[in-house]
Amino acid sequence: MKLILLSGGSGKRLWPLSNDARSKQFLKVLESKNGNLQSMVQRVWEQLTKIGLSESTYVATSKSQVDIIQNQIGRKDNLVVEPSRRDTFPAISLVSSYLYSVEKMNLNEVVVVLPVDPYVEDDFFEKIKNLENVINQSQADIGLIGVKPTSPSSKYGYIIPKNDLVDKDYFEVKNFIEKPNENEAKNLIDIGALWNCGVFSFRLSFIINLLEEKGFPTNYEDLILQYEKLPKTSFDYEVLERVNNIIALSYNGYWKDLGTWDAITEEMSTSQIGVGTISRDSNNSHLLNELDIPIILLGVNNLVVAASPDGILISDKAKSPSIKELVGDYNNRPMYEERRWGWYRVLDFTKTDEGNEVLTKRICIKAGKNLSYHYHNDRSETWTIIKGEGIFAHNEKLCFVKPGDVLKINEMDKHGLKALTDLELIEIQAGSQLIEDDIARLYLTWEEIEEQCYFLTK
């Protein structure tokens, strides 16, 4: 059995901490067993590792999230990167073609797809293990996991059973109803309906045959070239609603979708992250502050206050699910990103009357990590080391750097940096156009860089 974790999202529902490069699953707001803060994806990866499923797991993601996935779970292999963001049906199709044509997996292999951020207990993944036997036993096209509802919620879709469990571990699915009102939800629960938690399984042959029927290639490299032609729709719409032979397993444990501020604050072990104060007469209010300035909550109830370089949110918790509608038109570049080597924060951006641009960042490189050896066509850079020690590679030369050192990098200069200890620097970019794509990477690993460079002094 193979697992596909779907890691996508545009970063709108938990704005301003989430953005295009750091969707909700990467926010470190949950407490781990050792008391540190961890993200949803780190929590799920820990659970998969504990139950022995991580090595057989593949992650489908976008280009903008590759670095943060590597940063948070340390996974460099089994990542399938979409050439563009198109929804769950294209993503699942792409990973399936990868399993089939690159990994050479048998068409009878059972594949389980799940979101990268379910908030569940460990026994949920034991239920996922059961899907392999149930798919083979029932000969169904699709197998699902449905969660036994704890209330008639209008937040979720519902799986409607065709019959009772009888002597089987599963039931046949009649149809689906998406987010009914509470009265309808109560009636659905009375007939045994389950919450649809977005987990489904199939034999690899099911998707491969489906691609062939639709006239798409099943070879991974060929499918990438035609990726833009795949229907930009969800797997639910493109597949589930058009297939009759579907079964479902019932899960009677804890499950929650942490997709909104009101939901995620309910699972936080602390009411405050970051600099600030919540007064004693403030009730059921949460503060999440990534800025260096303090925020004070005084005599307010049922609020979530979230602040980051991307913006500031002050919201009644019950109204927080509406944030996606209000920030839909904000398409500014992310002001904070995590990368495989650390993180950066945008401090300032200026455009001169002559059309030149100046961008200032604070960059942190974790000990032992390094920036690639690269050059830029349209910008120069000035690096000022403010913390830690490292090795600077510049036009085939190496030298040690420490706090106070100022490093000048001209257009077309080849350069890279390794952190010997946690290292922070202020970077000032200047040029006619400052875009992330203006980079030509020559070498990624420090071993490769050292083979091409030499020390000025030992």
Side-chain angles (χ1 to χ4, degrees):
M1 183 179 76
K2 304 300 178 185
L3 270 66
I4 299 175
L5 287 181
L6 297 178
S7 179
S10 58
K12 302 291 188 185
R13 291 199 290 170
L14 293 179
W15 185 91
L17 267 59
S18 63
N19 56 40
D20 190 57
R22 183 176 60 155
S23 323
K24 63 172 183 174
Q25 63 265 28
F26 301 114
L27 301 183
K28 294 180 181 179
V29 295
L30 302 174
E31 187 176 38
S32 65
K33 289 182 172 60
N34 59 16
N36 296 324
L37 292 178
Q38 65 178 180
S39 67
M40 301 178 215
V41 69
Q42 287 175 317
R43 186 176 190 272
V44 166
W45 196 256
E46 188 178 87
Q47 291 174 308
L48 288 172
T49 302
K50 181 179 178 181
I51 208 165
L53 291 174
S54 61
E55 289 304 313
S56 58
T57 297
Y58 293 75
V59 182
T61 190
S62 61
K63 294 177 183 177
S64 63
Q65 294 184 1
V66 170
D67 272 11
I68 195 168
I69 287 173
Q70 293 179 350
N71 180 299
Q72 292 203 357
I73 66 175
R75 193 63 179 261
K76 295 182 180 180
D77 55 355
N78 290 8
L79 296 182
V80 180
V81 183
E82 300 173 83
S84 63
R85 187 176 286 158
R86 290 193 65 78
D87 218 321
T88 56
F89 173 71
I92 292 166
S93 298
L94 189 65
V95 182
S96 298
S97 72
Y98 182 87
L99 297 178
Y100 173 63
S101 65
V102 178
E103 298 287 353
K104 306 296 182 184
M105 290 181 185
N106 191 291
L107 285 171
N108 288 322
E109 185 83 45
V110 173
V111 178
V112 179
V113 181
L114 66 154
V116 76
D117 56 355
Y119 191 80
V120 293
E121 301 301 330
D122 294 349
D123 60 350
F124 180 80
F125 296 98
E126 292 290 353
K127 183 67 71 170
I128 282 178
K129 280 185 172 181
N130 295 342
L131 278 171
E132 182 175 22
N133 291 332
V134 169
I135 283 286
N136 291 327
Q137 177 185 345
S138 66
Q139 293 299 301
D141 291 325
I142 301 287
L144 309 174
I145 290 181
V147 176
K148 189 171 182 180
T150 56
S151 64
S153 174
S154 60
K155 296 179 181 179
Y156 310 123
Y158 285 74
I159 302 170
I160 314 303
K162 187 181 294 184
N163 48 35
D164 295 327
L165 287 175
V166 193
D167 295 326
K168 299 179 181 178
D169 296 326
Y170 59 89
F171 62 83
E172 297 177 12
V173 174
K174 180 181 179 181
N175 63 302
F176 304 90
I177 294 180
E178 186 64 19
K179 297 181 180 179
N181 62 45
E182 290 193 8
N183 286 334
E184 292 174 320
K186 185 178 185 305
N187 293 332
L188 293 175
I189 292 173
D190 290 340
I191 63 171
L194 303 177
W195 285 339
N196 187 353
C197 63
V199 175
F200 33 84
S201 61
F202 47 80
R203 292 180 197 81
L204 185 57
S205 59
F206 177 79
I207 295 297
I208 298 303
N209 292 339
L210 186 60
L211 286 172
E212 290 178 340
E213 290 172 11
K214 292 179 176 291
F216 289 103
T218 57
N219 179 274
Y220 172 71
E221 299 295 342
D222 294 336
L223 189 60
I224 281 184
L225 297 177
Q226 295 193 33
Y227 196 69
E228 298 297 325
K229 297 180 181 179
L230 284 168
K232 191 176 182 180
T233 58
S234 68
F235 189 86
D236 297 62
Y237 174 79
E238 192 68 24
V239 179
L240 289 188
E241 295 183 9
R242 307 183 187 193
V243 174
N244 294 320
N245 189 12
I246 302 176
I247 57 93
L249 291 172
S250 176
Y251 174 67
N252 193 22
Y254 192 78
W255 172 87
K256 194 171 186 179
D257 177 13
L258 301 186
T260 59
W261 279 120
D262 57 334
I264 204 168
T265 53
E266 289 177 356
E267 302 301 333
M268 289 174 54
S269 60
T270 177
S271 60
Q272 179 179 331
I273 297 175
V275 182
T277 302
I278 302 176
S279 66
R280 291 183 179 180
D281 59 345
S282 294
N283 299 309
N284 191 33
S285 290
H286 281 75
L287 170 63
L288 301 95
N289 184 14
E290 292 187 338
L291 303 178
D292 294 327
I293 56 176
I295 297 176
I296 296 176
L297 275 61
L298 179 60
V300 293
N301 302 321
N302 306 314
L303 285 188
V304 56
V305 177
S308 83
D310 285 294
I312 298 174
L313 169 71
I314 303 171
S315 173
D316 180 272
K317 287 187 177 180
K319 299 292 184 181
S320 64
S322 301
I323 183 64
K324 187 174 182 179
E325 302 165 13
L326 297 178
V327 301
D329 294 331
Y330 292 173
N331 291 314
N332 299 331
R333 62 171 296 158
M335 303 293 281
Y336 174 89
E337 288 194 46
E338 287 185 33
R339 295 296 182 89
R340 57 178 177 79
W341 38 260
W343 54 263
Y344 77 77
R345 179 178 296 168
V346 175
L347 301 178
D348 185 63
F349 174 74
T350 302
K351 192 166 186 176
T352 67
D353 293 338
E354 294 77 21
N356 293 320
E357 298 177 348
V358 179
L359 180 70
T360 305
K361 293 181 178 180
R362 181 168 183 154
I363 297 174
C364 174
I365 308 171
K366 296 295 185 181
K369 302 290 186 179
N370 68 275
L371 303 182
S372 66
Y373 195 52
H374 61 278
Y375 63 87
H376 307 289
N377 292 303
D378 298 310
R379 72 173 184 251
S380 63
E381 295 177 343
T382 302
W383 291 353
T384 302
I385 309 299
I386 59 174
K387 177 183 176 183
E389 297 180 344
I391 304 174
F392 177 50
H394 186 222
N395 292 333
E396 280 77 52
K397 300 180 181 66
L398 298 172
C399 66
F400 291 102
V401 293
K402 62 185 185 306
D405 288 346
V406 179
L407 311 172
K408 301 284 188 178
I409 302 161
N410 297 318
E411 294 178 5
M412 305 302 294
D413 280 3
K414 293 173 284 187
H415 58 287
L417 184 62
K418 179 179 181 179
L420 298 177
T421 63
D422 284 356
L423 185 150
E424 293 188 21
L425 61 101
I426 301 298
E427 175 185 82
I428 300 177
Q429 302 177 8
S432 57
Q433 57 171 348
L434 303 180
I435 56 175
E436 291 298 318
D437 290 340
D438 178 23
I439 184 170
R441 290 185 174 88
L442 304 174
Y443 305 104
L444 289 178
T445 69
W446 194 253
E447 290 74 17
E448 293 174 309
I449 296 172
E450 284 194 331
E451 288 179 1
Q452 305 300 320
C453 304
Y454 61 92
F455 273 99
L456 286 173
T457 56
K458 290 288 186 180

